[in-house]
Amino acid sequence: DLGLLAASCKEFTKAVQLMLSKIEGMIINSPETRKISSQNSFTRTSQQEHNSQLFMLLMQFKEALEKIPQQVWKSVEEMNDNLSGMSNTSTPSTVLANMGQQSESVVGEVKKSVQTAVEIIDDLAERQITDAIVALLAGYIQSIILGLHKEGVSNYSSKGSTAAGDIAVDCSMAVQTLSKQVPVMLKSHLISSLPKSKIVDTAVEEVCLRMMHSYVTVASLCRPMSEALRLRTAKDMSSLEMLISGLISMPNTHLCPVSQEFKSYRRLLFIESEQKNSLQFSASVPPSKTQLLQLPYLSQLRPSVLLGYLVSCAPSQLPSPYDVENRTLASYVQDLTEVNTTMIQKDSDDRNGSSNRIFYSVRSLYFHSSSSYGNNNMSISSSWSKIDGESKCWSAIQQCEDIFFQRIAVAEGAQKQHMREWYEAILEIGSHFFGEM
C-alpha cells in the first residue's frame, strides 16, 4: 500500500528520535568513564564497556535501517511486475505508468527518511560516545608529551659526533613511551572494542591529529632552543610520523592544517640551513619580521607555536608564557589545545553523499588566510583573535614582554641593546597576527 508507506515516512523520523533519546539516557558519563591507566594495559572500566555496548547497538540499528530502502524497492518492483502481468483491459497502461511514478516518489521519501535517521544515529554515537573516548585518549597522550619539559636535553647521552660536528641524540622518553602505548590504547578503546565503521576510523584519526598538535605545541615551548634540542625534536617528529603511519593513512598535507603545521615546524627548526640568505635567529640573533613573513610555510603555523618558539630562542630574561598569571605549563598547553568548546563542519567523503555533520576536531583551532601573511593584516589579526587559545597566548606573551621590558631597563650596555631588539621583534611579529589588543 503506497499510501500507507508514504504516511509512515512522516512518522518514521519521530519514532527513531524517540528510540535514540532512550538510548542516549542510558549512556554513562561519570568519573569511571574518564579513567585510563597503563598499569592495566588500558583495560576499559565496566562503565566504558557499557558505553561500548551501546555504541554497538547504535551501529546495528543503523545497519538495519540502511537495508530498508532496498527492501522497500524490491517489494515495489514485485508489485509493479504483478500489475504489468495483469490484463490490459483490467489495468490501463496510463494507470500503470502513474503507479510507477508514485512508487519511485514513495521510495525516494523512504530513502530520505532513512538517511535522516542514519545521520541522527551517527551524531549521537559521535557526540556522546566516541568524542568522549577521543578526549580521554588525547588527554592522556598530552600528559605524556608534557614530560618533554621535565626530561631536558641534558638527560640525553650523545652517541658521538659526525664529521660536521653534529650531535647525535635519542628520541625523548615521552615519544618512546607513546610509541609503545598508543597502539595498545587505541586497540583497547576504539579499534577492537567498537565495530568497524567510519565513525571509529574518524575517531582514531582525530586522536592521531591531536597527538601531532599537542607535540608541536609543547615542543615549541622547550628552552633554551639549542642545537641538541632541535635534533631531538626532529627525531621525535620522525618517530611520531612512523607511529601514526602504522595506525592511519597520513592526512593529506594540503588538506589537513594539523599535518601542515607539523611539517612546517620541522622546517622552522632548521631554518638556517634551508635559507640561502642565512635567515637565522637564536639567543644572539633576533628575527627579522620582514624576512620571517616571507617564509612560504609560515601561514601553516599557529601564532602560538611561532611566538612560543621565538620566546624559546630569546634571552633567558624573557619569561615563558606559562610563567605568568600563576599559570602552569599544563594549564597553558590546555588552553592552546582545548577543542571541547569549538566546532567545525566535518568534511564528508561518504560515497553515498551523506550531508555534513558537526564534529569536534582539533582542525577547528586553525585559521588559514588565502593570501600571504605579508598582506591583509586586518583579516589575519581579526581571525586569529577569534580563536580563544590563540588570543590567550598573545595576552600571556604581552605580559611576558612587560616583565622583559622592566628587566631591560636595569640591564647595561650591549646586553640592554640586544634585549631591546628581541623585545621589539616579538612585539612586532605578535602584533602582525593579533593587531592591538
Side-chain angles (χ1 to χ4, degrees):
D1 189 330
L2 294 178
L4 177 61
L5 192 58
S8 299
C9 287
K10 297 179 180 179
E11 304 300 322
F12 183 83
T13 303
K14 293 181 182 179
V16 170
Q17 288 176 324
L18 177 62
M19 179 176 180
L20 292 180
S21 67
K22 295 183 180 296
I23 296 177
E24 183 173 5
M26 298 168 62
I27 296 174
I28 299 175
N29 182 15
S30 69
E32 285 295 315
T33 62
R34 296 186 289 274
K35 284 185 177 180
I36 187 169
S37 174
S38 61
Q39 296 180 353
N40 61 357
S41 300
F42 303 103
T43 302
R44 288 167 292 158
T45 65
S46 57
Q47 287 84 348
Q48 290 168 346
E49 177 63 30
H50 170 84
N51 288 344
S52 296
Q53 292 299 320
L54 290 178
F55 182 91
M56 188 174 299
L57 174 63
L58 287 170
M59 293 301 101
Q60 291 173 346
F61 185 32
K62 172 184 171 181
E63 184 178 351
L65 290 178
E66 289 176 329
K67 293 178 181 178
I68 291 178
Q70 184 62 33
Q71 293 171 343
V72 170
W73 182 248
K74 184 177 180 180
S75 298
V76 169
E77 284 185 325
E78 290 177 355
M79 179 189 70
N80 290 338
D81 289 343
N82 291 334
L83 290 174
S84 298
M86 296 174 64
S87 171
N88 289 336
T89 56
S90 60
T91 308
S93 59
T94 55
V95 173
L96 291 175
N98 290 336
M99 292 191 68
Q101 293 176 357
Q102 185 182 4
S103 299
E104 291 182 2
S105 175
V106 170
V107 171
E109 288 297 317
V110 170
K111 288 183 178 179
K112 185 185 297 183
S113 298
V114 168
Q115 185 60 46
T116 300
V118 166
E119 289 175 3
I120 295 173
I121 292 173
D122 284 347
D123 176 70
L124 175 61
E126 288 181 337
R127 177 168 44 84
Q128 293 291 346
I129 300 179
T130 58
D131 280 356
I133 296 174
V134 168
L136 176 67
L137 302 188
Y140 178 85
I141 289 171
Q142 185 166 286
S143 70
I144 299 297
I145 294 175
L146 286 169
L148 288 172
H149 282 250
K150 295 180 181 179
E151 294 181 40
V153 183
S154 59
N155 292 343
Y156 294 86
S157 59
S158 173
K159 291 184 177 180
S161 302
T162 64
D166 294 331
I167 302 172
V169 295
D170 290 326
C171 287
S172 64
M173 290 302 299
V175 169
Q176 292 182 43
T177 300
L178 291 177
S179 297
K180 296 176 182 177
Q181 294 186 354
V182 169
V184 179
M185 189 191 319
L186 288 174
K187 182 177 180 181
S188 176
H189 286 266
L190 285 171
I191 299 174
S192 296
S193 62
L194 303 181
K196 184 172 177 58
S197 66
K198 186 180 177 183
I199 295 176
V200 173
D201 291 342
T202 300
V204 173
E205 180 183 68
E206 181 67 17
V207 171
C208 292
L209 291 180
R210 293 196 194 188
M211 178 164 59
M212 297 167 70
H213 175 84
S214 292
Y215 183 84
V216 171
T217 301
V218 174
S220 67
L221 298 170
C222 293
R223 62 188 306 188
M225 191 59 67
S226 63
E227 184 65 18
L229 179 56
R230 289 186 175 92
L231 289 171
R232 186 195 76 176
T233 302
K235 198 156 191 176
D236 279 353
M237 297 176 81
S238 295
S239 295
L240 286 176
E241 284 181 324
M242 185 176 299
L243 168 63
I244 293 171
S245 65
L247 299 169
I248 61 172
S249 298
M250 284 296 288
N252 190 322
T253 304
H254 298 293
L255 301 177
C256 178
V258 184
S259 181
Q260 286 180 329
E261 180 181 61
F262 194 80
K263 294 180 182 300
S264 295
Y265 183 68
R266 181 160 42 200
R267 295 180 67 180
L268 183 68
L269 288 173
F270 301 103
I271 192 172
E272 297 177 29
S273 59
E274 185 175 300
Q275 294 297 310
K276 296 180 180 179
N277 296 328
S278 298
L279 171 62
Q280 59 180 327
F281 45 89
S282 61
S284 59
V285 183
S288 162
K289 173 192 168 184
T290 302
Q291 288 182 301
L292 199 60
L293 295 179
Q294 289 176 352
L295 296 176
Y297 54 86
L298 193 75
S299 62
Q300 297 167 358
L301 295 168
R302 285 169 288 146
S304 59
V305 169
L306 177 61
L307 292 171
Y309 180 74
L310 294 179
V311 171
S312 298
C313 294
S316 60
Q317 291 89 343
L318 174 61
S320 295
Y322 53 84
D323 285 333
V324 295
E325 283 190 340
N326 297 317
R327 289 175 178 266
T328 63
L329 174 64
S331 66
Y332 179 72
V333 171
Q334 181 65 21
D335 282 342
L336 298 182
T337 58
E338 180 65 55
V339 297
N340 290 338
T341 58
T342 311
M343 294 186 296
I344 62 169
Q345 195 77 12
K346 187 180 74 171
D347 294 329
S348 174
D349 57 358
D350 195 318
R351 293 181 181 179
N352 296 324
S354 63
S355 59
N356 292 342
R357 296 188 305 274
I358 294 297
F359 180 73
Y360 292 103
S361 174
V362 72
R363 293 179 177 89
S364 62
L365 302 183
Y366 292 81
F367 157 76
H368 288 283
S369 171
S370 59
S371 61
S372 167
Y373 264 16
N375 303 309
N376 200 20
N377 293 4
M378 184 69 72
S379 173
I380 292 171
S381 61
S382 174
S383 297
W384 281 117
S385 297
K386 292 178 181 178
I387 298 179
D388 190 52
E390 298 301 306
S391 179
K392 288 180 179 179
C393 160
W394 179 228
S395 177
I397 293 287
Q398 287 178 308
Q399 293 179 57
C400 294
E401 286 277 85
D402 290 342
I403 296 173
F404 193 38
F405 187 79
Q406 296 172 15
R407 294 173 179 176
I408 292 173
V410 297
E412 297 180 356
Q415 183 188 37
K416 183 171 186 176
Q417 177 61 29
H418 173 63
M419 292 168 65
R420 180 79 186 195
E421 291 173 354
W422 265 102
Y423 170 85
E424 292 176 349
I426 291 179
L427 189 63
E428 186 179 19
I429 293 169
S431 297
H432 175 79
F433 291 105
F434 298 99
E436 298 297 331
M437 293 178 62

